[in-house]
Every structure is written in structure tokens, then in C-alpha cells.
Amino acid sequence: MRYDFGSDNTAGMAPAALEALIAANDGYARAYGADDVTARAADLIRARLDADAEIRFVFSGTAANAIALSMLAWPHEAVLAHHAAHVCTDETGAPGFFGSGVGLIGLPGLSGKIEPKALQAVVDEPEVGHRQPPAALSLTQSTEYGTVYTEEELRHLIEPAKLKGHGVHMDGARLANAAAAGFDLTQIARLGVDVLVFGGAKAGANCAEAIVMFDKSLARRIDNRLKQAGQTASKTRFLAAPILGLLESGDWEAGAAHANLMAERLAAGIATRSAFVLAHPVEANAVFVRMPPEAHQRLNDAGWACYRFDDGSVRFVCSWATREEAVDEVLQAIATL
């Protein structure tokens, strides 16, 4: 089976990330995040975001999202998110687990973007004692369907949430791809996001993400919270180093730009060389195709891994490692279906 397009998780570590990990392995360093590698990585994240923040490195995006949301909502409250967001569909109740019962309220919207009117309708609902009221908004950039929120679109979602006193979380597992598509990272804090998950794994690092707390009050006893959750790395430098390598080299952005370009190439080929149509705009590194189950099965049988997504379309994901030759090969396979 060829996993070139199965997910951006199927690719290995980018060379710059791996080299930084090897360099961090040389000699001794302070434990539990007190080392220079971790400090440098955090400083570079702050520089990319042009904002001061408390930063901690953790083992997974699921843990990062769930812990972040547990900072913004009490157990008797809920988080608003797109119904296809990772926190709603792929984290096995982790927000509720880490948040001791925090609920999720799924919202509609085309191609993974929350519809502003739907958000407004929910935040305007009167609170009653029989259900969990919303206390936070979770946004995904880029979205689960490979689209990228503009600054204006985010403002129309964040402002009404803030007016209600809600906290705002951003899942940035594919933030590098959004940045490569033109999204200005320096606007995240200015728009009012309280806590960001800064993606590493899908950008070419190992299993590492960073929790970025613009609202520093959220960092009160954060180290105790992470320790209890099993997310405190004794050798934190091995989580921070790959992200440091990607940021120092510029490959965090360059790898994402390459992935986006490969997705554009794939999408153009599907539109012009196959009998199938695209299900969503291609703005980052994911391509979704309307493909009957029989054709999808034939493509899998031909050795290509690609998956049917929540809306019934078939998802192809490009990464820093995707080769033009692989794109052309899968296009040839798709054209013969």
C-alpha cells in the first residue's frame, strides 16, 4: 500500500527536524523544559506570532487541544466548534475527559468553516439549568476540509464569542499550511485567540505540538496540569528540538508551501484528467474528491491509501515529503478508474 496521500502523518520527519533532534541529543541538558533548546524553540514561536505567550511542548495534538479547552470551560460548560472539527470527531471524548465533563456543541458551515449566523444563533440562546452553556469557541486553521479562514472570517466568529465572555482556542495542527497559503500568523493574538496549538507533527516534526497561551493567566499551575495529564516530558528538548529545527531553517513554512503546491497539482489533475469532481476548495494541503465507493475501492486495490471522510468524499493529503512523481502516478491511477 502506498501511503503518500493517506495523511500528512504518514511522512517521516523532515531533515531539518531530524538534524535538530540529533543535535539536541549531544551531551547533557537540564530536564523538564529548563533546557536551552526548549527556550530557543519557544522564542522562535513567539517571534513567528509576534506576541508574548507562555509556551509548553506536549506529545500530541489531541492532548494539546483537550488541555487547552479544559482551561477555557468548566465541567458544567461546553465548547463551540465546527461539527467536523478534530475535537468533535477524532479525539474520543478527550476534551470531556481532560475537562472533567466539558461538553462539545457542533456547529454547521461549508467546507469546515463555522457559519457565523449559526454561531450567533447559539450564543444568543438563553441559558437554562438543564444543559451545558457554551463558554469557549474552538477554531481550526487550516480546517479539517483543507480550507483557510481569512482574517475577516475569523473576526466575524471571534468578536461575538468575546462579547459573550467566551474564551477562544485555535487548533493549529496544520497552521503551517495556513501560513503558507497566506494567513498572517501575527493576527492570531490580535484577533483575540486565548490559546493556540502550534502544530509540529504534520509540519515535519516528530509527535510534538506546542500549547501557546496568549492569555498568561491560563498558565497558572499549567505545569501541574500537564504533569497530571502525563504530558510532562522529562527530556523536553526532544519535543522542542524538531520544531526548533523547522523554524530555524524556515522549513516549517517551506515544507508546508511544498505540500500546498502538491495539493494544487493533484487537484488540477483531478479536475482536468478524471471523471471526478472536487468536493471542497483546495486552499492548503488536502484534496477531497467526490468518488463512488466502487471507484474508491479500486484505487485502494491498486495500492493507493486514501480515506473516505465524514462528508462521504475521499481525502488525499500532501506533506513536505510528497513528490511530483507520486502526484502524477496517483493521477494516472485515478484517470483509469
Side-chain angles (χ1 to χ4, degrees):
M1 185 68 75
R2 291 280 300 273
Y3 289 94
D4 306 51
F5 305 97
S7 170
D8 36 11
N9 289 320
T10 62
M13 292 175 64
L18 186 57
E19 289 165 8
L21 181 63
I22 294 171
N25 192 51
D26 185 35
Y28 295 85
R30 292 173 179 169
Y32 297 106
D35 60 280
D36 292 341
V37 169
T38 299
R40 287 160 54 203
D43 283 343
L44 282 178
I45 291 174
R46 293 186 193 99
R48 288 298 200 281
L49 301 172
D50 190 28
D52 191 19
E54 282 286 336
I55 297 174
R56 298 293 187 277
F57 295 90
V58 296
F59 294 102
S60 77
T62 293
N65 284 333
I67 291 170
L69 294 178
S70 76
M71 300 174 186
L72 301 177
W74 290 99
H76 58 279
E77 296 175 328
V79 174
L80 299 164
H82 192 278
H83 65 78
H86 204 267
V87 296
C88 291
T89 62
D90 290 281
E91 296 187 355
T92 321
F97 178 79
F98 283 90
S100 301
V102 166
L104 294 166
I105 299 173
L107 298 175
L110 295 175
S111 299
K113 294 182 178 181
I114 295 173
E115 168 56 48
K117 289 182 179 179
L119 171 66
Q120 192 67 57
V122 173
V123 299
D124 286 345
E125 287 181 358
E127 291 186 11
V128 298
H130 300 284
R131 60 176 179 262
Q132 291 171 295
L137 171 66
S138 178
L139 300 162
T140 307
Q141 180 75 317
S142 58
T143 74
E144 297 296 334
Y145 284 106
T147 53
V148 178
Y149 282 108
T150 66
E151 179 185 337
E152 193 66 18
E153 288 171 330
L154 289 172
R155 182 175 289 109
H156 285 309
L157 296 172
I158 292 172
E159 285 185 354
K162 286 288 184 176
L163 285 173
K164 284 290 185 176
H166 298 342
V168 178
H169 156 261
M170 180 175 284
D171 178 353
R174 294 187 175 95
L175 186 62
N177 301 99
F183 176 65
D184 183 357
L185 298 177
T186 68
Q187 295 304 310
I188 297 174
R190 297 186 179 102
L191 284 166
V193 173
D194 297 295
V195 57
L196 163 73
V197 175
F198 188 94
K202 291 177 172 61
N206 52 350
C207 299
E209 312 287 310
I211 301 176
V212 181
M213 293 158 279
F214 301 110
D215 178 355
K216 289 191 171 185
S217 69
L218 298 175
R220 182 175 180 267
R221 295 177 176 167
I222 181 61
D223 295 313
N224 306 83
R225 187 188 294 260
L226 294 175
K227 186 72 171 183
Q228 186 182 64
Q231 290 296 316
T232 299
S234 58
K235 299 181 180 182
T236 307
R237 67 188 187 277
F238 295 136
L239 294 180
I243 296 177
L244 173 65
L246 290 171
L247 293 174
E248 282 189 332
S249 66
D251 286 350
W252 190 78
E253 294 91 348
H258 172 78
N260 291 3
L261 186 63
M262 292 300 97
E264 291 176 12
R265 183 184 183 95
L266 178 59
I270 289 169
T272 59
R273 295 173 50 190
S274 81
F276 309 113
V277 297
L278 301 175
H280 301 283
V282 178
E283 297 172 353
N285 65 320
V287 178
F288 293 81
V289 183
R290 296 290 180 204
M291 184 180 292
E294 297 80 6
H296 179 212
Q297 185 60 55
R298 287 173 59 194
L299 191 59
N300 286 162
D301 291 344
W304 293 98
C306 50
Y307 301 97
R308 193 162 295 277
F309 214 66
D310 297 349
D311 68 336
S313 63
V314 176
R315 187 188 76 165
F316 301 78
V317 185
C318 299
S319 73
W320 69 269
T322 302
R323 298 174 298 109
E324 288 186 8
E325 295 83 356
V327 173
D328 294 340
E329 286 175 33
V330 78
L331 283 172
Q332 179 61 35
I334 292 170
T336 64
L337 296 177

